[in-house]
């Protein structure tokens, strides 16, 4: 009888201890940080690829491991054709076959398993070296303001259009600006030596489209993407 009472007491004590225990904590999900790009260098001519033919070479893209990230997506854009490709990888480098003598832009998206958050690196541009070239066309101009699809407040004094240009050879000579209400805007100003145009007249409640032609001293040219914004 005494042994039975002791056994019951032990069972009761065990249940009492387990009932008072803390519930397991959920594992904290941490958002990934943006990757730091390393190579190919921004606004450069890439001459370190492995040549496969007169038209192709293999370039190794490299970036530093991003904090809290365990997988990446490299976004690569052919600036001549506008074609964008994505490459999913688990490490911080990848070798890709590219066209020679062509300008590209690239950036990396960091992701973390268990998190829906992502982080994007800055966008870098480079020229993949050709067989032989004494000069390269400028990189397509990039929008500064207004941002794509931005709503802009109407002002009787007009608005400001601003963009940025870059060139491996650093010999940009001028810009031609195309601007209008059509998605095929006509030439608005040419031979601009600055990358900003002020007091551009606009109408309220109207969509506008614009793009930039960049010219260098060697006669090379490039066209930007088509930019769009709306005046309230």
């Amino acid at each position: 009888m005494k042994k039975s009472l002791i056994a019951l007491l032990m069972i009761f004590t065990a249940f009492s201890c387990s009932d008072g225990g803390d519930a397991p904590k959920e594992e904290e999900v941490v958002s990934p940080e943006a990757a730091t790009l390393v190579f190919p260098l921004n606004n450069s001519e890439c001459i370190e690829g492995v040549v496969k033919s007169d038209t192709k070479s293999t370039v190794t893209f490299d970036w530093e491991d991003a904090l809290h990230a365990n997988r990446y997506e490299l976004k690569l854009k052919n600036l001549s054709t506008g074609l964008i490709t994505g490459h999913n990888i688990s490490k911080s480098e990848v070798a890709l076959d590219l066209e020679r003598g062509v300008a590209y832009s690239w950036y990396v998206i960091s992701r973390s398993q268990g998190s829906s958050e992502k982080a994007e690196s800055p966008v870098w541009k480079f020229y993949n070296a050709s067989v032989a070239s004494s000069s390269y066309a400028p990189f397509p101009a990039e929008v500064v303001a207004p941002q794509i699809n931005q709503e802009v407040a109407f002002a009787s004094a007009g608005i400001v259009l601003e963009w940025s240009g870059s060139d491996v050879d650093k010999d940009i000579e001028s810009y031609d600006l195309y601007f209008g209400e059509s998605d095929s805007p006509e030439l608005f100003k040419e031979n601009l030596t600055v990358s900003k145009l002020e007091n551009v007249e606009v109408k309220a409640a109207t969509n506008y489209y614009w793009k930039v032609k960049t010219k260098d001293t060697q006669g090379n040219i490039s066209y930007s993407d088509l930019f769009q914004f709306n005046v309230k």
Side-chain angles (χ1 to χ4, degrees):
M1 180 68 177
K2 187 175 181 181
K3 290 182 179 180
S4 298
L5 289 172
I6 292 173
L8 287 172
L9 181 61
M10 291 176 65
I11 293 172
F12 176 76
T13 302
F15 275 108
S16 298
C17 291
S18 62
D19 288 344
D22 293 333
K25 294 182 179 179
E26 292 185 4
E27 186 175 344
E28 183 180 1
V29 177
V30 183
S31 300
E33 295 190 3
T36 300
L37 305 185
V38 175
F39 186 84
L41 297 174
N42 192 29
N43 293 329
S44 69
E45 179 188 15
C46 178
I47 59 175
E48 297 184 26
V50 177
V51 175
K52 302 185 71 175
S53 69
D54 286 348
T55 59
K56 293 275 189 179
S57 65
T58 302
V59 174
T60 299
F61 293 80
D62 184 28
W63 57 94
E64 294 181 5
D65 289 329
L67 197 62
H68 308 307
N70 52 27
R71 53 196 177 99
Y72 304 96
E73 183 181 8
L74 185 149
K75 288 286 192 179
L76 180 69
K77 182 177 181 180
N78 183 317
L79 295 178
S80 297
T81 64
L83 178 65
I84 300 174
T85 56
H87 306 271
N88 293 295
I89 42 198
S90 58
K91 54 185 181 179
S92 57
E93 68 172 25
V94 61
L96 300 175
D97 290 342
L98 305 181
E99 299 286 342
R100 300 180 69 185
V102 173
Y104 291 89
S105 67
W106 68 291
Y107 67 97
V108 171
I109 302 172
S110 304
R111 302 182 191 275
S112 177
Q113 188 172 2
S115 172
S116 60
E117 299 295 322
K118 63 180 182 180
E120 296 183 1
S121 73
V123 178
W124 279 13
K125 297 174 291 185
F126 70 97
Y127 259 101
N128 191 28
S130 60
V131 177
S133 178
S134 58
S135 68
Y136 285 100
F139 291 112
E142 295 184 346
V143 65
V144 174
Q147 289 291 311
I148 296 174
N149 296 326
Q150 181 180 345
E151 278 199 332
V152 180
F154 173 78
S156 58
I159 63 162
V160 176
L161 298 178
E162 186 175 1
W163 61 94
S164 64
S166 56
D167 191 319
V168 169
D169 307 312
K170 295 180 172 55
D171 63 347
I172 291 176
E173 184 174 43
S174 63
Y175 304 96
D176 292 346
L177 177 65
Y178 295 77
F179 176 76
E181 298 177 34
S182 165
D183 58 6
S184 298
E186 296 183 353
L187 181 63
F188 184 69
K189 294 285 184 180
E190 61 181 335
N191 298 325
L192 297 168
T193 56
V194 294
S195 56
K196 185 178 186 178
L197 188 62
E198 299 179 335
N199 306 121
V200 178
E201 292 185 6
V202 293
K203 296 182 294 186
T206 306
N207 284 309
Y208 286 94
Y209 300 85
W210 63 294
K211 64 181 180 180
V212 177
K213 176 183 178 181
T214 307
K215 303 179 287 189
D216 70 14
T217 58
Q218 303 298 315
N220 299 310
I221 64 171
S222 68
Y223 287 90
S224 72
D225 291 336
L226 182 66
F227 310 133
Q228 184 267 338
F229 66 92
N230 174 260
V231 179
K232 294 181 182 179

